[in-house]
Amino acid sequence: MNKIKFFSTLLILSLTFSFTVASISKLQFQAYAQDGNGYEVVFTISDGEDSMYYEGAGIPEMLTWGPAAFTVAPDGSFWIADTAAARLLHYSPTGNLLGKIDLKSLIVGATDVEVAESGIWVLDQASIPPKVMSFAEDGTVLAKYDLPSGLHLEDGLSGIVLGDGGELLVEREGDAYITQITDAAGKLIEMVTTNGYIHKGKPFAAHAYGLNTTTPRRGTIFAGELRIEVETEYDLGGMQILGFGPQDDF
């Protein structure tokens, strides 16, 4: 569940180092790994035919938009939802393009991506109803799930994630509510919703108190039996658990 969504120009992702920060511009994508107090460039993707596409780039009167999500596969390679170009891009750990999956006619707007040994999972928030599709690495469609009422945009739909056993989970309001819709084999089940994630039998959740409360700079992280209080210098807009590391760090 090592993933990131492009909410802003600075992003944080758990990798084999402490944290990864990615920055984007209309010409270049870079991912950094933090090791102690220093940073190392993991890879750079420059502008070009094999790079990501940004709609409206260089046009002052247009809002520039492009990739919506980025995840790390079990083999250490990277998958990017190149949303404006309706495709998935697959890069090696050093930033070399390994392949593309064309999503035209299949996905209206890819807003999240997850990768496991079983395939590549894509959330299409723009379709009616929203749906999740699974692909093989060569682009073959493996599965398609229309999300039922209660898991739509108006219900706070915000992403997808794969559970410890590969089961498909749907996120609402970040990680405030997690709904399991399939078992590990990909079979639809009666929906089960929890507050936050269940990782190895323990609950994990992160909640900001809210900008309209009397404590807008505070939040709480629940990690198993731990309760971690967070206080920031400025108003805390939100917190979200992005993933779990090999030593059960998060």
Side-chain angles (χ1 to χ4, degrees), residues 7-248:
F7 289 127
S8 64
T9 56
L10 289 178
L11 311 166
I12 298 176
L13 170 66
S14 175
L15 280 179
T16 54
F17 294 87
S18 297
F19 295 95
T20 294
V21 179
S23 62
I24 60 174
S25 72
K26 65 180 181 181
L27 296 177
Q28 190 178 78
F29 171 92
Q30 283 190 320
Y32 303 87
Q34 178 182 349
D35 188 8
N37 294 322
Y39 289 88
E40 173 190 351
V41 176
V42 178
F43 67 83
T44 300
I45 303 171
S46 299
D47 189 32
E49 182 180 351
D50 291 337
S51 186
M52 297 170 290
Y53 176 69
Y54 291 86
E55 183 73 34
I59 305 175
E61 61 273 17
M62 289 187 65
L63 175 66
T64 301
W65 67 282
F70 163 64
T71 192
V72 185
D75 63 2
S77 62
F78 299 90
W79 286 85
I80 296 174
D82 194 17
T83 308
R87 61 186 179 179
L88 299 177
L89 298 178
H90 187 200
Y91 291 94
S92 73
T94 56
N96 296 317
L97 186 69
L98 299 176
K100 307 175 186 178
I101 295 179
D102 186 3
L103 300 178
K104 294 183 179 71
S105 77
L106 296 172
I107 298 287
V108 180
T111 53
D112 203 0
V113 58
E114 276 287 326
V115 180
E117 299 291 347
S118 58
I120 302 102
W121 300 79
V122 179
L123 171 64
D124 184 358
Q125 284 181 275
S127 68
I128 301 175
K131 64 177 180 284
V132 179
M133 296 189 69
S134 176
F135 298 87
E137 194 168 311
D138 63 1
T140 302
V141 176
L142 301 177
K144 173 180 172 293
Y145 305 96
D146 288 331
L147 297 185
S149 177
L151 297 180
H152 293 179
L153 281 174
E154 61 269 25
D155 304 306
L157 173 64
S158 56
I160 57 172
V161 68
L162 299 178
D164 293 341
E167 60 274 18
L168 177 60
L169 310 175
V170 175
E171 300 173 336
R172 286 184 293 138
E173 299 180 22
D175 59 6
Y177 305 101
I178 305 296
T179 301
Q180 181 179 346
I181 67 170
T182 77
D183 60 17
K187 182 180 178 181
L188 287 171
I189 64 170
E190 185 175 350
M191 294 192 304
V192 178
T193 299
T194 59
N195 293 326
Y197 299 106
I198 303 298
H199 176 62
K200 294 188 176 179
K202 297 181 179 180
F204 288 79
H207 301 298
Y209 289 1
L211 301 180
N212 295 324
T213 67
T214 57
T215 53
R217 301 178 184 180
R218 299 189 64 186
T220 303
I221 298 173
F222 301 92
E225 294 79 18
L226 293 177
R227 179 187 173 104
I228 304 168
E229 299 297 336
V230 176
E231 187 168 358
T232 57
E233 182 177 359
Y234 302 103
D235 288 356
L236 179 61
M239 297 190 295
Q240 182 177 356
I241 294 175
L242 295 177
F244 301 93
Q247 298 178 343
D248 288 337

